[in-house]
């Protein structure tokens, strides 16, 4: 059985350990009893003998259940004991002095490694993120052929990169059917406005040119975090990027506006667009509804 889910354990002065999650994985303190592939044992007195368990839920994917004395933190937030907590690709898990990252190829919203590397070139965690996602790329590839769909996407992304340069994006990257960009907010009060303006211009360029491709766009703003690089700072970046990916996968579909902007971003850039009414969207894997404004004409 092949796993699509892993825990990557970072240990000082040791190579990272990659542990597959097949069915379930119990994480806890080393003891005298034997262990097998379904156990990850740590030599840390702050870790409980059975600290937390990971298992596969048909609806939520991999979920974490804490059973510890000292608690478990996911992306810097302590989870409730015995309450299942869904994990998403790129989440950070901390127990005692151990730090782990969760990776999942099964998660459609996973952040590509290239995107993570690009964002880490920004010193500060306070960034505004734009993600554009091609609507129905698979259907286009099936209709026109994979080669034609890829060529059309590459040509389109080439135009959008020029547009990104004109709007001053700090970093950008793209993969087969999505484009990512980020603006460093620190020292740039116009970053949020530039990001929203780019998303609108890109939407008009893509959806109004009569070409075979359409795209949905998500725009988010991460909270500022002071200090040196850390798991908490990476978590802030990861959360904002994950949210942008989720919004882009909803935009321009089923009557949604082509650009979805979080309330926090709209507050930071009040004059950048004519925002629609604020709505609360319940998104998979997020415990609280997210305030979102639609921008542009619904599909």
């Amino acid at each position: 059985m092949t796993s699509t889910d892993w825990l990557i354990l970072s240990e000082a002065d040791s190579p990272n350990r990659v542990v597959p999650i097949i069915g379930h994985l119990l994480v806890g303190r080393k003891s005298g009893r034997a262990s097998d592939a379904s156990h990850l044992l740590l030599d840390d007195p702050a870790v409980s003998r059975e600290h937390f368990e990971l298992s596969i839920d048909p609806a939520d994917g991999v979920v974490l259940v804490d059973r510890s004395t000292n608690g478990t933190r996911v992306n810097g937030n302590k989870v409730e004991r015995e309450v299942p907590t869904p994990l998403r690709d790129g989440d950070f898990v901390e127990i005692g002095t151990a730090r782990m990252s969760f990776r999942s190829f099964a998660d459609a919203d996973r952040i590509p490694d290239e995107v993570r590397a690009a964002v880490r070139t920004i010193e500060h965690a306070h960034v505004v993120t734009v993600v554009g996602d091609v609507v129905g790329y698979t259907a286009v590839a099936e209709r026109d052929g994979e080669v034609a769909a890829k060529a059309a996407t590459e040509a389109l992304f080439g135009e959008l990169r020029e547009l990104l340069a004109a709007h001053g994006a700090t970093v950008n990257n793209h993969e087969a059917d999505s484009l990512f960009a980020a603006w460093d907010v620190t020292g740039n009060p116009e970053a949020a406005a530039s990001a929203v303006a780019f998303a609108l211009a890109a939407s008009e360029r893509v959806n109004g040119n009569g070409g075979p491709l359409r795209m949905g766009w998500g725009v988010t703003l991460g909270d500022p975090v002071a200090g040196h690089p850390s798991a908490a700072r990476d978590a802030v970046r990861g959360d904002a990027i994950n949210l942008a990916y989720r919004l882009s996968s909803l935009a321009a579909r089923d009557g949604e506006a082509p650009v979805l902007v979080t309330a926090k971003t709209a507050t930071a850039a009040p004059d950048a667009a004519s925002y629609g009414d604020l709505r609360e969207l319940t998104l998979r894997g997020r415990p609280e509804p997210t305030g979102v404004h639609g921008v542009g004409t619904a599909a």
Side-chain angles (χ1 to χ4, degrees):
M1 181 176 181
T2 301
S3 174
T4 60
D5 307 297
W6 300 268
L7 268 188
I8 301 177
L9 174 64
S10 300
E11 298 177 291
D13 302 321
S14 299
N16 287 352
R17 294 166 60 187
V18 179
V19 183
I21 303 166
I22 301 176
H24 77 282
L25 178 69
L26 180 64
V27 179
R29 189 177 71 248
K30 286 183 179 180
S31 64
R33 68 178 188 176
S35 64
D36 55 31
S38 65
H39 289 73
L40 171 58
L41 302 181
L42 306 174
D43 189 10
D44 186 337
V47 173
S48 298
R49 181 166 295 180
E50 296 185 357
H51 201 100
F52 69 78
E53 183 175 15
L54 300 177
S55 59
I56 310 296
D57 182 271
D60 291 323
V62 175
V63 297
L64 179 152
V65 177
D66 174 75
R67 298 193 174 95
S68 69
T69 301
N70 295 326
T72 301
R73 294 185 179 276
V74 175
N75 296 334
N77 299 312
K78 191 172 183 178
V79 302
E80 292 188 45
R81 195 171 189 272
E82 298 290 350
V83 175
T85 301
L87 294 183
R88 295 293 171 256
D89 181 73
D91 283 349
F92 290 97
V93 181
E94 295 172 288
I95 60 174
T97 60
R99 177 187 178 217
M100 292 157 271
S101 61
F102 171 71
R103 298 305 310 268
S104 175
F105 284 167
D107 188 346
D109 298 322
R110 68 188 181 91
I111 301 173
D113 288 339
E114 295 80 3
V115 167
R116 292 183 183 277
V119 174
R120 288 194 182 102
T121 66
I122 301 177
E123 180 181 359
H124 303 281
H126 197 194
V127 297
V128 58
T129 300
V130 175
V131 172
D133 181 67
V134 174
V135 177
Y137 178 86
T138 301
V140 173
E142 290 177 351
R143 184 190 66 208
D144 301 335
E146 181 68 34
V147 173
K150 184 176 180 180
T153 305
E154 287 291 337
L156 178 59
F157 284 180
E159 294 181 29
L160 294 178
R161 282 193 293 272
E162 294 180 5
L163 199 59
L164 273 171
H167 286 81
T170 308
V171 295
N172 69 84
N173 208 294
H174 76 277
E175 52 180 341
D177 58 354
S178 63
L179 181 143
F180 162 87
W183 285 252
D184 188 351
V185 175
T186 307
N188 180 11
E190 299 301 318
S194 296
V196 174
F198 164 75
L200 285 172
S203 178
E204 293 174 3
R205 175 81 62 90
V206 176
N207 298 336
N209 67 2
L213 300 176
R214 295 169 52 246
M215 295 182 71
W217 299 86
V219 189
T220 65
L221 178 63
D223 292 322
V225 176
H228 298 290
S230 66
R233 288 165 62 83
D234 280 343
V236 168
R237 293 189 179 109
D239 184 66
I241 299 170
N242 267 326
L243 179 55
Y245 270 91
R246 292 183 190 281
L247 293 180
S248 72
S249 70
L250 297 176
R253 299 162 174 85
D254 300 324
E256 283 287 359
V259 180
L260 296 178
V261 180
T262 61
K264 186 185 300 183
T265 311
T267 299
D271 301 321
S274 178
Y275 299 105
D277 293 338
L278 178 66
R279 294 180 296 138
E280 298 288 327
L281 294 184
T282 300
L283 303 174
R284 181 170 61 88
R286 302 186 70 84
E288 300 294 335
T290 301
V292 173
H293 298 274
V295 183
T297 304

